[in-house]
Amino acid sequence: MTKWRLNGAVWSIPMRTRFRGITVREGMLLRGDAGWGEFSPFLEYDATVALPWLRAAREAADQGWPAPLRDRVPVNVTVPAVGPEQAAAIVRAGNGCRTAKVKVAEPGQSLAEEQARLEAVRDALGPAGRIRVDANGLWSVDEAVAAIRLLDRAAGGLEYVEQPCAAVEDLAKVRRRVDVKVAADESIRRAEDPYRVRDLEAADVAVLKVQPLGGVRACLRIAEDIGLPVVVSSALESSIGIAAGVALAAALPSLEHASGLATVQLLAGDVVRSPLLPEDGTLPVVRPEADADLLARWAAAPERRSAWTSRLAEVEARARSMRQDQVP
């Protein structure tokens, strides 16, 4: 199958463990002169929210990325909201990752369950490893303060807590009441003004995701302007999309923290022959090639391909409309 016939291919791959409420991940691949790009906004996102995802895909396919400053980037192992035994097993299977990112604030779970998960992760990781937690903005200020103090003890010390509350103003309040560093994710990528995090001194770390923020170059501009240490994270992409995150991490002037890019292992398959999986806790800086046989193996059902084709057209129309609105 020639490359042009693969352009616009839609893939659908089950998750190994339910993550972010998702059991199946879908996306579309675009091919340009520079290589492959991935367009995979989550299904609930409308055309306006999905527009930066398309910009990132077009950048990857048509422009390529800035020159890297390093040839490998350190990554964390990601632990979903699972029981302690499974959490420990995931860490031990992390291919040398010395940092673990653990999901917390899971609806329906108690703090005691999350405490047990953190304790198991610490036991599996050892005393020298780093542990960070991600609450996806689901706590109130008071809930966050209490949970962070408890989980910090359970983990034997947290590297940081990611997005404990939804509002930037609440992040600032939490940051002033706890000793653990606070990282902002949604408060940057879903905000009309990503720099409110900086202006309100609401975070110690900025989490940047390439697709939601419009591409590698857009993220590099944010990283420079926001003035905070950066952690590059994924949006549950295939290796084609993860490669863009790796390109960002490789191009940053400074990389103080492990990146959250070792998430291909959360998928039951991939669209490339050599998936971007960690070796000795790092990922290589490469441009993966989509594989025709794997795209056929993981091809979405006809109705889903039609839905993604319509979605792409809708987002492209939104992009044209916005350009027309900007003409004086």
Side-chain angles (χ1 to χ4, degrees), residues 101 162 185 207-210 231-235 237 245 259-261:
K101 174 180 174 177
E162 183 174 324
D185 174 11
V207 178
L208 302 186
K209 297 181 177 180
V210 170
V231 169
V232 181
S233 192
S234 88
E237 296 105 328
S259 298
L261 296 170

Side-chain angles (χ1 to χ4, degrees), residues 76-94:
N76 67 244
V77 60
T78 299
V79 181
V82 296
E85 290 185 3
Q86 188 176 355
I90 290 170
V91 172
R92 294 190 184 104

Side-chain angles (χ1 to χ4, degrees), residues 41-59:
F42 294 109
L43 299 183
E44 68 269 21
Y45 290 173
D46 64 19
T48 299
V49 176
L51 182 54
W53 300 65
L54 180 58
R55 290 176 181 147
R58 293 297 188 198
E59 176 193 50

Side-chain angles (χ1 to χ4, degrees), residues 185-318:
D185 174 11
E186 289 89 343
S187 288
I188 294 174
R189 64 181 170 89
R190 297 295 301 273
E192 291 185 7
D193 180 5
Y195 300 110
R196 278 182 60 76
V197 166
R198 173 199 61 197
D199 297 341
L200 295 180
E201 298 182 347
D204 303 280
V205 176
V207 178
L208 302 186
K209 297 181 177 180
V210 170
Q211 281 203 81
L213 289 168
V216 172
R217 289 172 179 81
C219 287
L220 288 172
R221 288 192 295 270
I222 292 172
E224 181 178 3
D225 293 342
I226 206 165
L228 295 171
V230 167
V231 169
V232 181
S233 192
S234 88
L236 296 181
E237 296 105 328
S238 75
S239 285
I240 299 295
I242 291 297
V246 174
L248 170 58
L252 286 167
S254 176
L255 193 64
E256 300 178 22
H257 302 278
S259 298
L261 296 170
T263 54
V264 169
Q265 54 201 341
L266 298 175
L267 302 176
D270 202 356
V271 297
V272 305
R273 284 292 171 190
S274 299
L276 279 175
L277 298 171
E279 296 179 7
D280 195 26
T282 67
L283 291 180
V285 181
V286 295
R287 284 299 303 255
E289 283 287 319
D291 180 83
D293 292 336
L294 289 172
L295 282 173
R297 166 71 178 85
W298 299 112
E303 64 272 14
R304 297 305 306 150
R305 293 199 296 271
S306 177
W308 275 93
T309 300
S310 298
R311 190 179 194 197
L312 177 62
E314 182 183 3
V315 178
E316 288 177 329
R318 178 62 178 144

